[in-house]
Every structure is written in structure tokens, then in C-alpha cells.
Amino acid sequence: MTVLALGPALALGAAATFLPVRRARWIGFCVCVAGLFAAPWLAAALPSVSFPLIALSALRLLAPEISLPIGRVTLAALVGAGCLFYALALGLGPYDPYTLGFQARPLVAALAGVGMILVVTGERAALILLSGTLLAYAAGVYANLWDALIDPVLVLLAAVVLATRVWPAARRQKTK
């Protein structure tokens, strides 16, 4: 079993910890363990789970009281980049960016710039996730850098967090 086979099980376990019941964390662990036995089927449903999603899922299972301070600009950039990437990858544009992930030197150079922006803006959590993603890619865990960076579930979760937590909080602060 590869490391990537653990990703869908971790993601499902982390999702179960959001259930509004007592002992949701234990339910999440049980779902995660059950997911390990169903790893081949889960990998068929979620073939490529990105490193940030795996890391955030593991953090949610192991320490649900920790909330990563990822800013709304970073979340919005993730959602925008994900929507653009998947639209182009589905053939809605003249170029498929997925092929760039196999020979990733230009993409890594661009991500170095993104990393510098994260350093300047103080987005430490996003910088740690980006660094871990690049390390996982360099270690050969992922064949394509895009697979390591984003996946549809991560983009969807970022959009949900923006819509339900970040934007309403920003609106409440403006009305005060």
C-alpha cells in the first residue's frame, strides 16, 4: 500500500470528525481505519489526493483543536487557481496545464515566487503546506506536481470555508 492510498481514508476520517455528536474524533478514527481496508475502492473514487489535503486531514484527526490560520486571500487564490486549472484541464481552453506538472521546473520556479509572497504576508501555515508539497514531489511520492498541489476535494473545501466562515466573518467586522 502506498502513501497515496492512505489519503482518501484520512480525508473521510477527518470529515467524520465534523459530525455533531459526542466522540466524533473516535468515529473519525474508526472511519479512517475502515477506509484503510477499503483503500483500493477509495483510491478509485479519489484517485489523486493532494499533499495539503492529506496533511490537513491528518491534523484534523490528531489535533482537532488546532485551527490553521490560512488567510482569506490564500483560500481565494486556491479556489481561483483550482477552478482555472480544472477548467483548462477539462479542455475549456487552448492549453492543458496538467502536462506542465510532469516537467515541473517552470512550475517550481513559479511556486518559489508564491513561497516568497507567503513569507512576506506571514502565511506560515500555507508556506508549511507548500514546502511539504514540494518535498513530497521531490521525494517521488507524486509523479505530477499538480497532483501534489491541488485536488478537487481540496478546492471544494477551500470554497466551503470561504463561503461559510471567512466571508461572513469579514462582513460582520465591516458592519461594526
Side-chain angles (χ1 to χ4, degrees):
M1 181 181 307
T2 67
V3 174
L4 294 180
L6 303 175
L10 279 172
L12 283 177
T17 64
F18 287 103
L19 291 173
V21 296
R22 289 186 56 191
R23 305 209 187 266
R25 186 173 173 190
W26 290 107
I27 293 171
F29 277 117
C30 292
V31 168
C32 184
V33 170
L36 293 177
F37 291 110
W41 297 284
L42 288 174
L46 294 170
S48 176
V49 179
S50 66
F51 179 83
L53 183 61
I54 292 172
L56 292 172
S57 297
L59 182 66
R60 177 68 188 176
L61 277 172
L62 298 174
E65 65 278 357
I66 296 176
S67 175
L68 287 181
I70 297 176
R72 67 175 180 248
V73 174
T74 303
L75 288 172
L78 175 64
V79 172
C83 290
L84 178 65
F85 171 77
Y86 286 113
L88 291 173
L90 289 172
L92 299 177
Y95 177 70
D96 181 8
Y98 188 75
T99 57
L100 185 62
F102 289 110
Q103 298 165 348
R105 285 194 177 127
L107 189 54
V108 170
L111 289 174
V114 170
M116 292 299 174
I117 292 170
L118 293 173
V119 168
V120 169
T121 59
E123 292 275 347
R124 290 184 184 146
L127 182 63
I128 290 169
L129 289 174
L130 179 61
S131 301
T133 300
L134 291 173
L135 285 173
Y137 175 73
V141 176
Y142 294 91
N144 189 305
L145 184 54
W146 286 115
D147 289 337
L149 281 171
I150 60 173
D151 62 70
V153 176
L154 180 67
V155 173
L156 180 65
L157 288 175
V160 167
V161 168
L162 274 174
T164 61
R165 293 185 182 174
V166 175
W167 283 332
R171 264 192 270 143
R172 281 192 300 269
Q173 285 182 347
K174 285 183 182 179
T175 59
K176 287 184 179 180

